[in-house]
Amino acid sequence: MKYYLPLLFLLIIPVFCFGQSKLIVEGIILDAESDKAIPYAHVGIQAEHVGTASIQDGTFTLELDQKYRDDTLQVSAIGYQTEKYLLSSVLESNSPLRLQPKTYQMKEITVTDNRPETKWIGKKVRPILGSGARGLARGGDRIGAAFAFRVNWNRFLPLKLLHARMFLKRNKNDSLKMRCSIAAVDSSSKRPGRNLIPQAVITTSTKDKGWITCDFNKHDIYIEQKHFYVIFEWLTNKNHVYAPMYATGAFFNSTGYMRSHAMGKWKEAPSGLIYSLKVQY
């Protein structure tokens, strides 16, 4: 028996270590002025790239390791000031997390009588042959998963955004909700940084294949930077199982990043993801 005791002891240790309880953080995110729920706000530990997003009614559930108990919880949403809360205080309180609306300083745009030029950036036509697919196999905890594509513009400014779109190779959900937004290029990492526009555009599609398009045209959104990112973010519900499979083309080169969930770390995306942006200048 003495030969088996050390082995038995070693088998028990991992069970004890991995059996530690998780921190379950639940709450609701509200507009501090109107008390309205803020859907799709990001909440988590920014420095650790751990997070999730609120759903349509502003509520969220976040599962964390015990080691984060004394950390800081960050809450952010497009059009709002970012707030930080001590996680220990959030766990002890049932109070809503409130965000203040943010004021964006937009430069005055001069409109001339000259007829504006229109241009597609990226891939204009749908793939026919030779395309593959990229996506996430499961979606229950993937809310906020996103692709970001860098745009390098060498013509006149400002740019008016008209349409942003990605091509779906395969979608197994009944409906698909996407959010398109514009972010600055972070000066140090060169990855997506702060939001450049006061609102995002949300679109819903029931297609199982084809272009999914965000319409910026009616919002009169102008960009003053020559370098920026277009972000396509997946706003799935918890009961959706599959993230969409985005089409890739062998002869289409694009510079981009991807993250697997809200507040996740941006990683280099495979080249060839098929997207396009229509602008006016």
Side-chain angles (χ1 to χ4, degrees), residues 48-76:
E48 301 295 332
H49 302 289
V50 176
T52 188
S54 59
I55 58 176
Q56 187 66 41
D57 63 0
T59 62
F60 69 91
T61 300
L62 178 63
E63 185 178 290
L64 296 171
D65 289 335
Q66 286 284 350
K67 64 182 180 180
Y68 296 125
R69 178 176 288 275
D70 296 323
D71 229 310
T72 300
L73 194 71
Q74 179 172 301
V75 185
S76 61

Side-chain angles (χ1 to χ4, degrees), residues 13 65 103 114-115 154 178 229 247 251 259 265:
I13 290 177
D65 289 335
T103 301
N114 296 331
R115 185 176 179 179
N154 57 7
M178 297 288 295
Y229 281 98
F251 303 103
R259 68 177 181 221
K265 188 175 183 179

